[in-house]
Structures are given as C-alpha cells and as structure tokens.
C-alpha cells in the first residue's frame, strides 16, 4: 500500500502542499531556534513544512515522513540523500561537577571520573565507542538511551559524557572539558525515498536544506538568522540514576 501511495503521489507535480521533515530532538531544537523554517516559509508560502522531532527513526518507505535529517547515512537501498555535515562532539560535565571533582586534562584522565554510559540505539555512536575504548574502567554513574537523557544526566551532576558540541554549548550549566574531538565527529545526512524525492514540493524543501542546514548543525546559526522565543514546560528531574526514557 505504501508503495502504491508513493507512486500516486509522484504524479502530483505542484510545488505546493505539506512536507513532513523529521529529525532527532537535538537537531530539531536548533532548526527551530535558528528560524530555518520561518525563512523557508517566507520564500515558499505554498509549502507547509511539518517538523517531526522523534528519537525513533521514522520509516520513510512507509510514508511516516518525506525527508529525514539523520546521522550515519542510509541503510535502505530505496533512499537517496546528501551528506550535510560532520557534527562535532565533545566531552561535557556540569559546572557543579567540575567544581567538586575537577576536569580531565587528557583522554587518559577520563577513567578517574564517573561517566554516563550510552545504551540501546545510541550505543553504536562514534562517541559511545570512543568512551568505551578510552575509559573502559570508569565508574558508570548513569545509563541513557537517547541524547536528551544524556544531557539531563550530565546536567544533574551524574558524570562526564560526550554530547554534540553545538547543542551542549547552548546550556550555560554545562562545561566543555575535552574537545571537540575529531574521532567523535558524526556524519549527518539528508534522506528521502527515491520516489518522493522527485516531487516538486519535496525537492524544494530538500534543496533548501542542502544549501542552508550545514551552519545550523555545525555552528548553531544561519545566514540572516531569525530567532524566535520558545516556551518550554519544565521537565521534572528524575529521582534515580537511570535516565532511560
């Protein structure tokens, strides 16, 4: 059914209508804060981009989204895409943690500190593998299965852990204690199903992102950046040390 729906949609040659763009939460926050979609809509008022922020990778073949901003590339032969950037990562701690325990002077020092371990879907990230190889004997203070949870664990003072450098640097309660570290760089791709990619409205969004997305991901900015204020409800801090969602 999904295949038939894609082929029917491919007959639509109008550069108007909805386009579903998906990303992880950390990337989506930067897209919103930098006004990327506001700028797109001012240029293309006939296209409505819906940003879907999910920790789960939505299935483009099933039509859950039209375009994905995703790390690691495509593992599905029906997808086509472009590499946008290598996302820099660094090791972070809370300011309070650094006040109490100090900071590592080099990767060899990491084993002296408590760390936050990556689990499940994020255990295969370059940053997770690097931490395991450089601090295999470090005390594990918390385990997290997604990057926002790692952020909360670090912020609570649980220990050290890698985070995307641009994303984490926006939090004034965090301290970059090592890096960015080139071995932790994570490639980010723009992906779409090959049938959907040809739709004019999807192609318009795709090509705009190819041109404009890199500075948002690597520096948290864009040309003629338009910022907006977001009202985010407070999230209660978990009581335990396991920050899995």
């Amino acid at each position: 059914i999904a295949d038939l729906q894609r082929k029917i949609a491919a007959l639509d040659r109008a550069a108007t209508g909805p386009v579903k763009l998906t990303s992880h939460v950390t990337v989506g926050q930067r897209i919103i804060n930098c006004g990327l979609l506001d700028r797109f809509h001012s240029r293309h008022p006939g296209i409505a981009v819906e940003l879907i922020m999910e920790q789960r990778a939505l299935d483009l073949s099933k039509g859950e989204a039209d375009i994905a901003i995703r790390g690691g590339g495509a593992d599905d032969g029906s997808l086509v895409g472009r590499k946008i950037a290598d996302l820099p990562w660094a090791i972070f701690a809370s300011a309070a943690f650094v006040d109490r325990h100090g900071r590592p002077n080099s990767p060899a020092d990491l084993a002296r500190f408590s760390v936050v371990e990556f689990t499940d879907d994020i255990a295969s990230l370059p940053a997770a593998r690097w931490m395991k190889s450089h601090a295999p004997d470090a005390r594990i203070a918390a385990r997290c299965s997604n990057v926002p949870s790692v952020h909360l664990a670090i912020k609570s003072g649980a220990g050290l852990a890698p985070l995307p450098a641009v994303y984490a640097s926006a939090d004034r309660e965090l301290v970059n204690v090592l890096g960015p570290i080139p071995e932790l760089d994570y490639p980010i791709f723009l992906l779409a199903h090959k049938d959907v990619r040809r739709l004019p409205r999807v192609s318009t969004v795709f090509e705009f992102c190819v041109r404009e997305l890199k500075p948002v991901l690597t520096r948290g900015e864009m040309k003629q950046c338009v910022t907006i204020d977001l009202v985010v409800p407070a999230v209660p801090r978990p009581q335990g040390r396991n920050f899995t969602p």
Side-chain angles (χ1 to χ4, degrees):
I1 294 177
D3 183 61
L4 177 61
Q5 290 174 333
R6 283 196 310 272
K7 293 186 182 302
I8 293 173
L11 300 175
D12 181 3
R13 310 311 299 170
T16 58
V19 174
K20 293 180 289 185
L21 173 66
T22 182
S23 75
H24 282 172
V25 172
T26 53
V27 172
Q29 287 175 332
R30 272 172 277 165
I31 288 173
I32 294 172
N33 286 330
C34 282
L36 183 73
L37 297 186
D38 289 340
R39 185 175 180 183
F40 176 85
H41 288 137
S42 70
R43 292 184 181 183
H44 306 280
I47 300 175
V49 179
E50 175 189 352
L51 179 61
I52 307 171
M53 293 189 288
E54 280 267 5
Q55 291 308 115
R56 177 177 68 90
L58 299 189
D59 192 331
L60 301 185
S61 296
K62 292 181 178 179
E64 293 182 336
D66 300 308
I67 301 172
I69 304 166
R70 187 173 297 168
D75 54 5
D76 183 339
S78 67
L79 303 183
V80 294
R82 291 275 297 275
K83 181 179 177 180
I84 299 298
D86 287 312
L87 205 62
W89 283 58
I91 309 301
F92 286 85
S94 70
F97 183 93
V98 172
D99 288 342
R100 292 195 307 269
H101 305 290
R103 58 195 296 166
N105 296 314
S106 70
D109 278 344
L110 289 172
R112 298 192 296 109
F113 297 88
S114 299
V115 300
V116 178
E117 184 178 59
F118 288 24
T119 64
D120 299 339
D121 290 344
I122 61 173
S124 61
L125 290 177
R129 297 197 301 268
W130 187 91
M131 284 292 288
K132 276 200 172 288
S133 66
H134 285 78
D137 299 321
R139 187 180 78 85
I140 298 172
R143 291 183 172 89
C144 302
S145 62
N146 61 64
V147 172
S149 295
V150 175
H151 181 184
L152 287 176
I154 297 171
K155 194 168 182 173
S156 75
L160 309 176
L163 283 174
V166 174
Y167 164 75
S169 295
D171 189 331
R172 295 181 181 180
E173 294 184 37
L174 299 188
V175 176
N176 182 342
V177 296
L178 281 177
I181 301 170
E183 296 96 317
L184 274 59
D185 284 358
Y186 190 50
I188 299 294
F189 291 80
L190 197 65
L191 301 171
H193 191 279
K194 59 185 179 182
D195 292 336
V196 175
R197 172 70 176 86
R198 294 192 289 264
L199 292 174
R201 65 178 183 274
V202 174
S203 179
T204 300
V205 177
F206 194 98
E207 293 303 325
F208 177 84
C209 288
V210 167
R211 294 192 305 270
E212 304 287 352
L213 194 54
K214 183 175 180 177
V216 175
L217 296 178
T218 58
R219 299 194 299 274
E221 61 187 43
M222 64 181 295
K223 300 173 185 176
Q224 301 175 7
C225 182
V226 179
T227 59
I228 59 175
D229 294 325
L230 295 179
V231 179
V232 181
V235 178
R237 179 175 295 174
Q239 297 300 312
R241 284 301 192 190
N242 191 337
F243 288 82
T244 54

